[in-house]
Amino acid sequence: MQVPAAFEYAKATSVDQTLELLAQWGEDARLIAGGHSLIPMMKLRLARPTALIDINDVAELSYIRVEGAELRIGALTRHAELLASPLVEEHYRIFGDAEKVIADPLVRNRGTVGGSLCQADPAEDLSAAFAAVDASAVIQGARGSRTVPLSEFHVGPYETVVEPGELLTEVRVPIRPGGGSAYYKVERRVGDWAVAAAGAAVWLDQDVIKKVGIGLAAVGAEHFRAAEAEAFLTGEPATEASFAEAGRIAAESCNPVADQRGPVDYKRHLAGELTVRALRAATARARGQEA
Ligand SMILES: Cc1cc2nc3c(=O)[nH]c(=O)nc-3n(C[C@H](O)[C@H](O)[C@H](O)COP(=O)(O)OP(=O)(O)OC[C@H]3O[C@@H](n4cnc5c(N)ncnc54)[C@H](O)[C@@H]3O)c2cc1C
Protein backbone atom coordinates (compact mmCIF):
# COMPACT_ATOMS: atom_id res chain seq x y z
CA MET A 1 0.00 0.00 0.00
CA GLN A 2 1.27 3.45 -0.88
CA VAL A 3 1.01 5.98 1.92
CA PRO A 4 1.88 9.70 1.78
CA ALA A 5 4.50 11.19 4.09
CA ALA A 6 3.17 13.01 7.18
CA PHE A 7 1.72 16.50 6.67
CA GLU A 8 -0.19 19.21 8.50
CA TYR A 9 -3.80 19.83 7.39
CA ALA A 10 -6.22 22.74 7.59
CA LYS A 11 -9.54 23.52 5.95
CA ALA A 12 -9.92 27.08 4.69
CA THR A 13 -13.33 28.72 4.27
CA SER A 14 -12.30 31.93 2.50
CA VAL A 15 -9.65 33.21 0.09
CA ASP A 16 -8.24 35.48 2.84
CA GLN A 17 -7.86 32.54 5.20
CA THR A 18 -6.22 30.49 2.44
CA LEU A 19 -3.67 33.25 1.89
CA GLU A 20 -3.01 33.49 5.65
CA LEU A 21 -2.41 29.73 5.86
CA LEU A 22 -0.12 29.85 2.80
CA ALA A 23 1.90 32.63 4.46
CA GLN A 24 1.98 30.77 7.78
CA TRP A 25 3.06 27.40 6.38
CA GLY A 26 5.50 28.63 3.76
CA GLU A 27 6.44 27.39 0.32
CA ASP A 28 6.29 23.65 1.08
CA ALA A 29 2.54 23.86 1.76
CA ARG A 30 0.17 22.95 -1.07
CA LEU A 31 -3.47 23.69 -1.76
CA ILE A 32 -5.72 20.71 -2.25
CA ALA A 33 -8.85 20.99 -4.42
CA GLY A 34 -10.26 17.80 -5.97
CA GLY A 35 -7.12 15.91 -4.95
CA HIS A 36 -7.21 13.75 -8.07
CA SER A 37 -3.69 14.70 -9.10
CA LEU A 38 -2.10 15.71 -5.81
CA ILE A 39 -3.11 12.70 -3.68
CA PRO A 40 -1.75 10.07 -6.14
CA MET A 41 1.50 12.07 -6.38
CA MET A 42 1.73 12.19 -2.58
CA LYS A 43 1.11 8.46 -2.32
CA LEU A 44 3.95 7.84 -4.77
CA ARG A 45 6.06 10.39 -2.82
CA LEU A 46 6.50 12.41 -6.01
CA ALA A 47 5.04 15.30 -3.98
CA ARG A 48 5.85 15.72 -0.28
CA PRO A 49 4.06 18.85 0.92
CA THR A 50 4.61 19.62 4.61
CA ALA A 51 1.04 20.95 4.85
CA LEU A 52 -2.20 20.70 2.89
CA ILE A 53 -4.64 23.60 2.78
CA ASP A 54 -8.03 22.24 1.76
CA ILE A 55 -9.98 24.78 -0.31
CA ASN A 56 -13.08 22.66 -0.90
CA ASP A 57 -15.13 24.84 1.50
CA VAL A 58 -14.06 28.14 -0.08
CA ALA A 59 -17.50 28.73 -1.60
CA GLU A 60 -16.50 32.10 -3.05
CA LEU A 61 -14.30 30.23 -5.58
CA SER A 62 -17.15 28.16 -6.97
CA TYR A 63 -19.22 29.87 -9.68
CA ILE A 64 -19.84 30.30 -13.40
CA ARG A 65 -21.23 33.69 -14.39
CA VAL A 66 -21.22 36.36 -17.07
CA GLU A 67 -19.79 39.72 -16.04
CA GLY A 68 -19.65 42.42 -18.68
CA ALA A 69 -18.29 40.78 -21.82
CA GLU A 70 -16.61 37.92 -19.97
CA LEU A 71 -17.45 34.44 -18.85
CA ARG A 72 -15.99 34.09 -15.36
CA ILE A 73 -15.28 30.68 -13.89
CA GLY A 74 -14.20 30.27 -10.26
CA ALA A 75 -11.15 28.07 -9.66
CA LEU A 76 -13.10 25.62 -7.51
CA THR A 77 -15.69 24.94 -10.23
CA ARG A 78 -15.89 21.17 -10.74
CA HIS A 79 -15.50 19.58 -14.17
CA ALA A 80 -19.10 18.31 -13.88
CA GLU A 81 -20.38 21.85 -13.27
CA LEU A 82 -18.58 23.17 -16.34
CA LEU A 83 -20.06 20.31 -18.37
CA ALA A 84 -23.61 20.97 -17.10
CA SER A 85 -23.56 24.77 -17.41
CA PRO A 86 -26.05 26.23 -19.94
CA LEU A 87 -24.06 29.50 -19.89
CA VAL A 88 -20.89 27.73 -20.94
CA GLU A 89 -22.73 25.73 -23.60
CA GLU A 90 -24.34 28.91 -24.96
CA HIS A 91 -21.04 30.74 -25.42
CA TYR A 92 -18.37 28.07 -25.87
CA ARG A 93 -19.28 24.53 -26.86
CA ILE A 94 -15.58 23.63 -26.82
CA PHE A 95 -15.84 23.13 -23.04
CA GLY A 96 -18.73 20.68 -23.24
CA ASP A 97 -16.85 18.75 -25.94
CA ALA A 98 -13.69 18.66 -23.80
CA GLU A 99 -15.39 17.84 -20.52
CA LYS A 100 -17.24 14.86 -22.00
CA VAL A 101 -13.86 13.22 -22.64
CA ILE A 102 -12.05 14.19 -19.43
CA ALA A 103 -11.73 11.10 -17.25
CA ASP A 104 -15.03 9.68 -15.96
CA PRO A 105 -17.97 10.98 -13.88
CA LEU A 106 -16.21 10.18 -10.58
CA VAL A 107 -13.22 12.35 -11.46
CA ARG A 108 -15.41 15.05 -13.02
CA ASN A 109 -17.57 15.29 -9.90
CA ARG A 110 -14.58 16.18 -7.77
CA GLY A 111 -11.77 17.53 -9.99
CA THR A 112 -11.66 21.30 -10.44
CA VAL A 113 -10.85 23.80 -13.15
CA GLY A 114 -8.20 25.43 -10.94
CA GLY A 115 -6.59 22.12 -9.98
CA SER A 116 -6.43 21.07 -13.61
CA LEU A 117 -4.80 24.29 -14.81
CA CYS A 118 -2.38 24.42 -11.85
CA GLN A 119 -1.38 20.77 -12.20
CA ALA A 120 -0.25 21.76 -15.73
CA ASP A 121 -0.02 18.20 -17.00
CA PRO A 122 1.07 18.44 -20.67
CA ALA A 123 -1.93 16.25 -21.61
CA GLU A 124 -4.43 18.37 -19.70
CA ASP A 125 -7.52 19.08 -21.82
CA LEU A 126 -8.88 22.28 -20.26
CA SER A 127 -5.58 24.11 -20.75
CA ALA A 128 -5.85 23.52 -24.51
CA ALA A 129 -9.53 24.56 -24.55
CA PHE A 130 -8.88 27.72 -22.53
CA ALA A 131 -5.86 28.55 -24.75
CA ALA A 132 -8.07 28.38 -27.86
CA VAL A 133 -10.52 30.95 -26.48
CA ASP A 134 -7.97 33.51 -25.24
CA ALA A 135 -8.70 33.00 -21.56
CA SER A 136 -6.82 34.69 -18.76
CA ALA A 137 -6.09 33.57 -15.20
CA VAL A 138 -6.62 35.66 -12.07
CA ILE A 139 -3.99 34.93 -9.43
CA GLN A 140 -4.27 36.28 -5.91
CA GLY A 141 -1.52 36.76 -3.35
CA ALA A 142 -1.01 38.69 -0.13
CA ARG A 143 -0.33 41.89 -2.07
CA GLY A 144 -3.41 41.71 -4.31
CA SER A 145 -4.35 40.04 -7.56
CA ARG A 146 -2.88 39.93 -11.06
CA THR A 147 -4.30 38.75 -14.36
CA VAL A 148 -2.16 36.63 -16.66
CA PRO A 149 -3.12 35.60 -20.22
CA LEU A 150 -3.38 31.83 -20.44
CA SER A 151 -0.69 32.00 -23.12
CA GLU A 152 1.71 32.97 -20.31
CA PHE A 153 0.26 30.85 -17.49
CA HIS A 154 2.13 27.61 -18.15
CA VAL A 155 5.90 27.86 -18.04
CA GLY A 156 6.65 24.17 -18.62
CA PRO A 157 5.39 20.68 -17.80
CA TYR A 158 3.80 20.80 -14.31
CA GLU A 159 4.90 24.42 -13.88
CA THR A 160 2.86 27.62 -13.87
CA VAL A 161 3.41 31.25 -12.98
CA VAL A 162 1.49 30.81 -9.70
CA GLU A 163 4.09 31.59 -7.01
CA PRO A 164 4.31 30.16 -3.48
CA GLY A 165 1.88 32.15 -1.33
CA GLU A 166 -0.54 32.66 -4.25
CA LEU A 167 -3.61 30.87 -5.57
CA LEU A 168 -5.52 30.83 -8.82
CA THR A 169 -8.96 32.29 -8.11
CA GLU A 170 -10.68 32.66 -11.49
CA VAL A 171 -10.48 32.05 -15.22
CA ARG A 172 -11.91 34.72 -17.51
CA VAL A 173 -12.99 34.08 -21.08
CA PRO A 174 -13.88 36.98 -23.40
CA ILE A 175 -17.34 36.55 -24.90
CA ARG A 176 -17.19 37.24 -28.62
CA PRO A 177 -20.59 36.64 -30.23
CA GLY A 178 -21.01 34.97 -33.58
CA GLY A 179 -18.27 32.37 -33.25
CA GLY A 180 -18.18 28.61 -32.97
CA SER A 181 -15.87 26.26 -31.09
CA ALA A 182 -15.18 22.53 -30.80
CA TYR A 183 -12.78 20.00 -29.24
CA TYR A 184 -11.58 16.61 -30.48
CA LYS A 185 -9.47 14.04 -28.65
CA VAL A 186 -8.05 10.60 -29.32
CA GLU A 187 -7.67 8.42 -26.22
CA ARG A 188 -6.59 4.79 -25.96
CA ARG A 189 -9.71 3.88 -24.02
CA VAL A 190 -12.67 5.79 -22.62
CA GLY A 191 -11.66 8.03 -19.71
CA ASP A 192 -7.94 7.98 -20.46
CA TRP A 193 -5.67 10.96 -20.92
CA ALA A 194 -5.25 12.16 -24.51
CA VAL A 195 -2.89 10.56 -26.98
CA ALA A 196 -3.43 13.93 -28.66
CA ALA A 197 -6.23 16.51 -28.67
CA ALA A 198 -7.10 19.75 -30.45
CA GLY A 199 -9.64 22.49 -29.89
CA ALA A 200 -10.58 25.42 -32.10
CA ALA A 201 -12.61 28.61 -31.84
CA VAL A 202 -13.52 30.45 -35.05
CA TRP A 203 -15.14 33.79 -35.91
CA LEU A 204 -16.10 34.51 -39.52
CA ASP A 205 -16.70 37.60 -41.61
CA GLN A 206 -18.48 36.62 -44.84
CA ASP A 207 -16.85 33.20 -44.63
CA VAL A 208 -13.36 34.61 -44.17
CA ILE A 209 -11.70 33.72 -40.87
CA LYS A 210 -11.64 36.94 -38.87
CA LYS A 211 -10.30 35.41 -35.68
CA VAL A 212 -9.22 31.90 -34.72
CA GLY A 213 -7.76 30.15 -31.67
CA ILE A 214 -6.28 26.64 -31.76
CA GLY A 215 -5.34 24.70 -28.62
CA LEU A 216 -3.40 21.43 -28.55
CA ALA A 217 -2.98 18.93 -25.68
CA ALA A 218 -0.43 16.13 -25.19
CA VAL A 219 1.79 17.10 -28.12
CA GLY A 220 4.17 19.56 -26.48
CA ALA A 221 2.68 22.67 -28.05
CA GLU A 222 4.18 25.81 -26.53
CA HIS A 223 1.62 27.06 -23.97
CA PHE A 224 -0.90 24.49 -25.36
CA ARG A 225 -1.38 26.75 -28.41
CA ALA A 226 -0.81 26.33 -32.16
CA ALA A 227 0.19 29.96 -32.74
CA GLU A 228 1.71 29.44 -36.21
CA ALA A 229 -1.45 27.75 -37.51
CA GLU A 230 -3.59 30.55 -36.03
CA ALA A 231 -1.43 33.18 -37.77
CA PHE A 232 -1.75 31.36 -41.11
CA LEU A 233 -5.55 31.02 -40.89
CA THR A 234 -6.38 34.58 -39.91
CA GLY A 235 -7.73 36.29 -43.04
CA GLU A 236 -8.00 33.02 -45.01
CA PRO A 237 -11.28 31.73 -46.48
CA ALA A 238 -12.93 29.09 -44.28
CA THR A 239 -12.36 26.19 -46.66
CA GLU A 240 -11.19 22.59 -46.40
CA ALA A 241 -7.92 23.61 -48.11
CA SER A 242 -7.25 26.27 -45.44
CA PHE A 243 -8.06 23.82 -42.63
CA ALA A 244 -5.74 21.21 -44.16
CA GLU A 245 -2.86 23.68 -44.36
CA ALA A 246 -3.50 24.83 -40.77
CA GLY A 247 -3.48 21.18 -39.67
CA ARG A 248 -0.19 20.63 -41.47
CA ILE A 249 1.33 23.68 -39.76
CA ALA A 250 -0.01 22.64 -36.32
CA ALA A 251 1.46 19.14 -36.75
CA GLU A 252 4.81 20.52 -37.86
CA SER A 253 5.11 23.10 -35.11
CA CYS A 254 4.22 20.95 -32.10
CA ASN A 255 6.77 18.87 -30.20
CA PRO A 256 5.36 15.52 -29.02
CA VAL A 257 7.38 12.96 -27.11
CA ALA A 258 7.15 9.18 -27.54
CA ASP A 259 5.63 7.36 -24.57
CA GLN A 260 3.25 4.49 -23.76
CA ARG A 261 0.49 6.39 -25.60
CA GLY A 262 2.29 6.36 -28.94
CA PRO A 263 5.30 7.32 -31.06
CA VAL A 264 6.11 10.88 -32.13
CA ASP A 265 4.94 10.50 -35.76
CA TYR A 266 1.54 9.14 -34.73
CA LYS A 267 0.97 11.98 -32.25
CA ARG A 268 2.06 14.55 -34.82
CA HIS A 269 -0.35 13.04 -37.34
CA LEU A 270 -3.16 13.20 -34.77
CA ALA A 271 -2.35 16.83 -33.92
CA GLY A 272 -2.84 17.75 -37.59
CA GLU A 273 -5.94 15.64 -38.18
CA LEU A 274 -7.67 16.69 -34.94
CA THR A 275 -6.90 20.35 -35.70
CA VAL A 276 -8.68 19.94 -39.05
CA ARG A 277 -11.69 18.26 -37.41
CA ALA A 278 -11.92 20.90 -34.67
CA LEU A 279 -11.69 23.72 -37.22
CA ARG A 280 -14.35 22.09 -39.43
CA ALA A 281 -16.79 21.65 -36.52
CA ALA A 282 -16.11 25.10 -35.02
CA THR A 283 -16.71 26.70 -38.43
CA ALA A 284 -19.96 24.79 -38.94
CA ARG A 285 -21.13 26.01 -35.54
CA ALA A 286 -20.09 29.60 -36.36
CA ARG A 287 -22.23 29.32 -39.52
CA GLY A 288 -25.14 28.15 -37.37
CA GLN A 289 -25.03 24.65 -38.83
CA GLU A 290 -25.36 21.73 -36.45
CA ALA A 291 -22.04 19.97 -35.82
C1 LIG B 1 -8.24 8.56 -13.50
C2 LIG B 1 -8.03 9.97 -13.90
C3 LIG B 1 -8.18 10.32 -15.23
C4 LIG B 1 -7.99 11.64 -15.62
N1 LIG B 1 -8.16 11.96 -16.95
C5 LIG B 1 -7.99 13.23 -17.34
C6 LIG B 1 -8.15 13.58 -18.71
O1 LIG B 1 -8.47 12.77 -19.57
N2 LIG B 1 -7.95 14.88 -19.05
C7 LIG B 1 -7.62 15.84 -18.14
O2 LIG B 1 -7.45 16.99 -18.51
N3 LIG B 1 -7.48 15.53 -16.84
C8 LIG B 1 -7.66 14.26 -16.41
N4 LIG B 1 -7.51 13.95 -15.09
C9 LIG B 1 -7.13 15.01 -14.13
C10 LIG B 1 -8.36 15.62 -13.50
O3 LIG B 1 -8.89 16.52 -14.44
C11 LIG B 1 -8.03 16.32 -12.17
O4 LIG B 1 -9.19 16.87 -11.70
C12 LIG B 1 -6.99 17.44 -12.29
O5 LIG B 1 -5.75 16.95 -12.67
C13 LIG B 1 -6.64 18.11 -10.97
O6 LIG B 1 -7.73 18.75 -10.43
P1 LIG B 1 -7.97 18.63 -8.88
O7 LIG B 1 -9.02 19.63 -8.53
O8 LIG B 1 -8.18 17.22 -8.51
O9 LIG B 1 -6.56 19.18 -8.28
P2 LIG B 1 -5.63 18.70 -7.05
O10 LIG B 1 -5.15 17.31 -7.27
O11 LIG B 1 -6.33 19.01 -5.77
O12 LIG B 1 -4.44 19.73 -7.24
C14 LIG B 1 -3.57 19.65 -8.35
C15 LIG B 1 -2.48 20.73 -8.18
O13 LIG B 1 -3.04 22.04 -8.33
C16 LIG B 1 -2.82 22.83 -7.15
N5 LIG B 1 -4.03 23.65 -6.99
C17 LIG B 1 -5.32 23.21 -6.93
N6 LIG B 1 -6.15 24.28 -6.92
C18 LIG B 1 -5.39 25.39 -6.96
C19 LIG B 1 -5.68 26.79 -6.98
N7 LIG B 1 -6.92 27.27 -6.97
N8 LIG B 1 -4.63 27.66 -7.01
C20 LIG B 1 -3.35 27.18 -7.03
N9 LIG B 1 -3.02 25.88 -7.02
C21 LIG B 1 -4.03 24.99 -7.00
C22 LIG B 1 -2.57 21.83 -6.04
O14 LIG B 1 -1.79 22.40 -5.00
C23 LIG B 1 -1.82 20.74 -6.79
O15 LIG B 1 -0.48 21.10 -6.93
C24 LIG B 1 -7.67 12.64 -14.67
C25 LIG B 1 -7.52 12.29 -13.33
C26 LIG B 1 -7.70 10.97 -12.93
C27 LIG B 1 -7.56 10.64 -11.48
Side-chain angles (χ1 to χ4, degrees):
M1 190 173 63
Q2 292 156 339
V3 179
F7 56 87
E8 301 289 330
Y9 174 87
K11 222 175 201 330
T13 54
S14 68
V15 168
D16 285 347
Q17 194 194 2
T18 306
L19 291 173
E20 279 164 26
L21 286 164
L22 281 170
Q24 182 187 323
W25 273 336
E27 62 180 51
D28 291 330
R30 296 280 278 276
L31 302 182
I32 182 148
H36 275 303
S37 293
L38 186 52
I39 298 288
M41 286 176 69
M42 288 172 64
K43 286 171 130 183
L44 293 168
R45 309 268 173 132
L46 293 172
R48 296 183 73 145
T50 50
L52 284 188
I53 301 163
D54 187 337
I55 58 170
N56 282 281
D57 284 353
V58 183
E60 66 190 283
L61 290 178
S62 182
Y63 55 86
I64 298 171
R65 60 177 175 246
V66 169
E67 242 178 88
E70 284 176 336
L71 188 60
R72 296 192 172 189
I73 300 165
L76 198 63
T77 302
R78 312 282 171 187
H79 289 297
E81 292 168 327
L82 202 63
L83 177 57
S85 166
L87 262 185
V88 173
E89 183 71 359
E90 178 189 340
H91 295 292
Y92 283 111
R93 291 179 63 185
I94 189 171
F95 294 109
D97 290 353
E99 283 292 2
K100 279 178 204 149
V101 290
I102 291 178
D104 51 46
L106 290 179
V107 173
R108 294 200 293 263
N109 282 341
R110 192 79 185 155
T112 64
V113 169
S116 295
L117 294 187
C118 291
Q119 181 65 19
D121 189 301
E124 208 273 305
D125 292 292
L126 282 186
S127 295
F130 279 120
V133 298
D134 270 346
S136 52
V138 182
I139 299 166
Q140 196 160 337
R143 275 182 253 120
S145 72
R146 58 196 174 106
T147 304
V148 178
L150 212 80
S151 55
E152 294 167 20
F153 184 77
H154 299 96
V155 291
Y158 309 101
E159 266 187 273
T160 72
V161 293
V162 180
E163 299 281 351
E166 293 185 323
L167 77 155
L168 173 68
T169 55
E170 184 178 76
V171 186
R172 296 181 178 173
V173 184
I175 295 173
R176 299 189 172 98
S181 62
Y183 193 81
Y184 280 80
K185 168 172 166 178
V186 166
E187 53 197 352
R188 290 175 306 172
R189 55 181 176 271
V190 172
D192 195 10
W193 293 83
V195 178
V202 169
W203 289 264
L204 302 171
D205 183 6
Q206 295 182 353
D207 237 37
V208 169
I209 296 177
K210 187 170 64 173
K211 178 164 174 59
V212 59
I214 301 171
L216 297 176
V219 288
E222 185 91 2
H223 303 292
F224 292 91
R225 192 158 192 166
E228 292 88 347
E230 291 173 359
F232 160 76
L233 266 183
T234 308
E236 289 291 314
T239 60
E240 279 295 317
S242 304
F243 301 157
E245 179 59 9
R248 192 194 63 73
I249 296 169
E252 199 178 88
S253 53
C254 66
N255 196 15
V257 290
D259 59 16
Q260 76 277 18
R261 292 194 171 83
V264 167
D265 287 354
Y266 175 52
K267 292 185 180 188
R268 210 183 274 290
H269 165 76
L270 287 181
E273 178 58 30
L274 295 176
T275 295
V276 171
R277 291 185 196 183
L279 284 167
R280 194 181 288 141
T283 302
R285 288 171 176 177
R287 288 175 180 144
Q289 298 160 351
E290 194 41 47

